[in-house]
């Protein structure tokens, strides 16, 4: 199943089985990767954390490990890319459909997008992946970049 996600996903911005214990921690870990790789400005991590607090991005999939797609405004982004984090133990994100509901999240797709068309494309790629339970199960057990490529390739 190739859905274009690997084209936007920087291999160096994939963090597997993270020990992060909060949504802010995993956002900052992934944002740090994107910043080191030249995708985003130093203001990006704080901007994502701030936005997540008011406009949450947890997606309820009715799994024990749901998905979140944090992102922020284009002015913090230098070039489009996506970071992916999987978590050893789910962390809590608020549900984008019902911000009072807390969701356990096991997969974080951190979007750095500075172009509206690209954003739609990126979200479609992410949605195609997360609507495939086998893909998520594959990502959950992935331990290497090759494992990720085999799932998303």
């Amino acid at each position: 199943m190739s859905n274009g996600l690997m084209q936007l996903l920087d291999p160096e911005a994939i963090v597997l089985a993270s020990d992060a214990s909060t949504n802010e921690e995993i956002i900052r870990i992934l944002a740090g990767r994107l910043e080191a790789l030249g995708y985003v400005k130093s203001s990006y991590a704080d901007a994502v954390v701030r936005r997540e607090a008011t406009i949450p991005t947890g997606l309820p999939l009715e799994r024990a490990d749901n998905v979140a797609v944090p992102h922020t405004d284009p002015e913090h982004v230098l070039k489009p890319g996506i970071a992916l984090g999987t978590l050893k133990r789910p962390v809590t994100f608020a549900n984008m459909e019902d911000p009072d509901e807390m969701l356990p999240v096991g997969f974080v797709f951190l979007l750095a997008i500075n172009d509206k068309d690209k954003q739609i494309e990126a979200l479609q790629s992410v949605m195609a992946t997360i609507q495939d339970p086998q893909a998520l199960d594959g990502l959950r057990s992935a331990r290497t970049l090759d494992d990720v490529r085999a799932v998303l390739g």
Side-chain angles (χ1 to χ4, degrees):
M1 170 191 84
S2 177
N3 59 21
L5 192 53
M6 272 318 287
Q7 284 155 5
L8 278 168
L9 197 55
D10 190 306
E12 298 290 310
I14 296 174
V15 177
L16 299 173
S18 171
D19 276 323
S21 56
T22 65
N23 66 24
E24 178 170 345
E25 190 180 354
I26 188 64
I27 286 170
R28 289 190 183 282
I29 290 168
L30 295 174
R33 292 284 180 103
L34 288 177
E35 185 184 339
L37 294 162
Y39 286 92
V40 299
K41 300 177 186 173
S42 56
S43 57
Y44 175 82
D46 286 340
V48 175
V49 169
R50 267 199 313 274
R51 187 183 184 282
E52 191 63 38
T54 52
I55 310 170
T57 62
L59 286 169
L61 300 177
E62 296 174 16
R63 299 172 53 102
D65 49 0
N66 298 283
V67 171
V69 287
H71 50 277
T72 191
D73 302 317
E75 71 254 25
H76 304 285
V77 176
L78 298 169
K79 62 180 184 180
I82 298 178
L84 164 64
T86 67
L87 290 136
K88 278 191 188 158
R89 289 170 305 282
V91 299
T92 303
F93 276 79
N95 181 344
M96 71 168 55
E97 293 163 13
D98 175 6
D100 293 331
E101 185 192 349
M102 294 296 137
L103 293 173
V105 164
F107 307 91
V108 177
F109 292 89
L110 181 62
L111 309 182
I113 309 289
N114 55 0
D115 163 332
K116 272 280 182 277
D117 297 335
K118 267 274 194 278
Q119 180 148 353
I120 291 164
E121 197 183 306
L123 280 169
Q124 284 170 336
S125 300
V126 170
M127 295 312 276
T129 303
I130 66 182
Q131 285 165 350
D132 177 350
Q134 283 171 309
L136 287 181
D137 291 341
L139 286 177
R140 187 197 305 116
S141 57
R143 290 295 172 265
T144 66
L145 186 56
D146 284 341
D147 293 345
V148 174
R149 281 206 182 97
V151 173
L152 299 177

